Amino acid sequence: MLYSQLGRNAEAETLLREVVKAYPELYDVQYSLGLLLAEEKKYIEAEQHLALAARGIPDGSRVHYNLGILYDFLRKDQPAEVALSRAVALEPNNMDYLQALAQHYLRRGNLTAAGRIAEQMIARHPEDRKGSEVKEFVKRKTPGTN
């Protein structure tokens, strides 16, 4: 982690790979390696390590969130929805997770699901405009609701 913070990603990657190889059950290390690989744009490998981390840390909301973001980026729609929904289920008040799931639905044209998430955003964070903005966008894009 120190190597990564110092911008020495190649050294960090080498070390993390060594630890993962010796101790594959250290899911937090799998997670760290997955994040580093994603940062390095090695998306397929990152996906493998983040997926292992998500299976090994089933209650790790941040792990599922990051895996969902990667799946979304890779246009793996169903796994993205599952991972992001899991993050929201684990931490239903986390606005970042709610927003990511709403954006996922919006990008896929699922306005009904995006609207449901917008309602949750508004209910849980009425002071934050993001939920209202998603709701208004969905309303504008839904035929017959203007």
Side-chain angles (χ1 to χ4, degrees):
M1 302 315 298
L2 180 60
Y3 282 140
S4 182
Q5 291 170 0
L6 294 173
R8 296 165 60 184
N9 286 356
E11 292 166 278
E13 182 181 333
T14 299
L15 238 101
L16 289 169
R17 285 184 186 281
E18 288 173 12
V19 174
V20 161
K21 185 175 180 180
Y23 304 99
E25 72 286 353
L26 292 178
Y27 299 109
D28 56 333
V29 179
Q30 294 276 6
Y31 177 60
S32 295
L33 180 56
L35 290 177
L36 180 66
L37 291 168
E39 185 179 316
E40 296 291 315
K41 299 180 177 24
K42 298 175 183 177
Y43 301 121
I44 302 307
E45 270 191 288
E47 176 188 349
Q48 294 166 353
H49 291 284
L50 291 175
L52 280 170
R55 282 194 295 278
I57 310 170
D59 293 334
S61 61
R62 196 79 185 166
V63 176
H64 292 281
Y65 167 75
N66 281 300
L67 178 59
I69 294 293
L70 180 60
Y71 280 145
D72 192 57
F73 175 77
L74 295 173
R75 302 201 53 81
K76 294 187 175 188
D77 295 351
Q78 200 272 334
E81 180 179 1
V82 169
L84 292 170
S85 294
R86 177 75 178 145
V88 168
L90 288 167
E91 250 185 88
N93 291 324
N94 188 308
M95 186 59 126
D96 290 337
Y97 301 172
L98 289 164
Q99 187 173 0
L101 185 56
Q103 290 298 323
H104 168 77
Y105 287 135
L106 288 173
R107 280 192 289 276
R108 301 319 181 267
N110 188 341
L111 298 176
T112 302
R116 281 195 317 268
I117 300 301
E119 291 295 337
Q120 291 177 40
M121 293 166 75
I122 293 166
R124 293 184 176 126
H125 298 277
E127 76 290 350
D128 194 321
R129 293 273 317 135
K130 292 175 192 150
S132 297
E133 289 168 2
V134 172
K135 184 177 178 179
E136 285 302 314
F137 180 82
V138 168
K139 188 176 178 181
R140 282 194 313 272
K141 294 296 182 179
T142 303
T145 61
N146 291 335

